[in-house]
Amino acid sequence: MIIINGREEHGAAGRSLLSYVETEGYRFDRVAVEINGDIVPKQAYAERALADGDRVEIVHFMGGG
Amino acid sequence: MTGASTEGPSRAQLRAALAGRMGEAQVRLLEDAAIGVAGLGGLGSQIALALARSGVGHLILVDFDVVDLANLNRQAYDIADLGRPKSAALRDRIARINPYLDVRATQARLTPENAVPLFADASVVCEAFDDPVGKAMLTESLLLGRGDLAVVGASGMAGHERADTIVTRRVGRRWWVCGDETSDIGTGAPMVAPRVMACAGAQAILAIRLVLGLEQ
């Protein structure tokens, strides 16, 4: 089971984090991502495959401050 | 550090006034704390003032920008500050509230390379940028670069929705985000002072709670 932002995501297993972010409506340069408690650097998104047991938090930043 | 004017209250008097509200133990924790504020606009300027009023002893303030007329609708500056670096203007403003705080104000653009060294002494950094790409960059850089640092970010405080739509969410062990996480200036929503202040308040109280050990 893969949990992304608190919800079970069927069909995410085996996909790269980059592919998931880019096809699920996020903008690559506006997100910060933690997997299993560790922040994932942007340059590692392409090689980081989502796997069973992963808990993923994606923050998609809104503009304004 | 800026010294007090001769007719102003002494350090001991200001400290006693704070202790009368919060108690000695909390005053001591706060005066020993070092908190960073990244970006000194609508969020960051208000966060810094709230932390200064609460007696946070060491403030590390960073922003590259100067005060502009369009900032006065929500940022903690006034007409006399126009054209001045925000870092210097805010440092002077804080000195009028509590001249005994150690305020390190730097005019610089934060990058993945300088973010960790600039905030090296901080235990908590409040991310207070307006640009979402910058927010993502800074959050990633700080959380990756400093395993012992807490980051309190902001996402979504544009528009006119009620203040209670601003919430605090713990994303990870050392990572919190305040805001509604949906409103965006990119859609044309304006930045309105009370809502920006609500978000700044959420970030500032979270930073204070971390210092006081109220968030484990």
Side-chain angles (χ1 to χ4, degrees), chain A residues 3 7 11-12 16 20 23-24 39 42 44 49 52 55 58-59 61:
Chain A
I3 307 286
R7 289 213 322 258
S16 73
Y20 184 86
T23 56
E24 298 297 327
I39 199 93
K42 283 269 158 54
D52 191 43
R55 295 188 73 90
I58 303 174
V59 173
F61 283 102

Side-chain angles (χ1 to χ4, degrees), chain B residues 16-92:
Chain B
L18 262 177
R21 302 266 175 196
M22 295 194 288
E24 171 65 24
Q26 293 198 347
V27 166
R28 191 174 305 139
L29 286 169
L30 288 164
E31 73 188 359
D32 288 343
I35 298 180
V37 184
L40 305 174
L43 294 171
S45 62
Q46 305 290 0
I47 292 168
L49 289 192
L51 297 176
R53 292 187 194 283
S54 305
V56 172
H58 309 271
L59 290 168
I60 302 165
L61 313 178
V62 185
D63 193 296
F64 71 92
D65 210 359
V66 297
V67 179
D68 179 88
L69 200 54
N71 299 150
L72 300 189
N73 79 325
R74 68 189 189 283
Q75 306 188 14
Y77 307 105
D78 54 47
I79 287 168
D81 296 321
L82 292 172
R84 295 190 68 204
K86 291 181 179 180
S87 50
L90 195 57
R91 181 195 59 213
D92 292 351

Side-chain angles (χ1 to χ4, degrees), chain B residues 134-186:
Chain B
K135 289 171 174 291
M137 176 279 291
L138 186 78
T139 302
E140 184 179 307
S141 302
L142 291 174
L143 287 173
L144 272 175
R146 276 276 306 281
D148 59 338
L149 182 70
V151 175
V152 182
S155 179
M157 76 303 298
H160 297 93
E161 292 300 320
R162 282 161 47 166
D164 57 8
T165 58
I166 304 287
V167 298
T168 301
R169 181 167 76 89
R170 188 174 195 167
V171 180
R173 192 171 54 82
R174 300 178 290 114
W175 182 15
W176 289 258
V177 171
C178 302
D180 62 25
E181 295 197 60
T182 55
S183 62
D184 192 310
I185 42 169

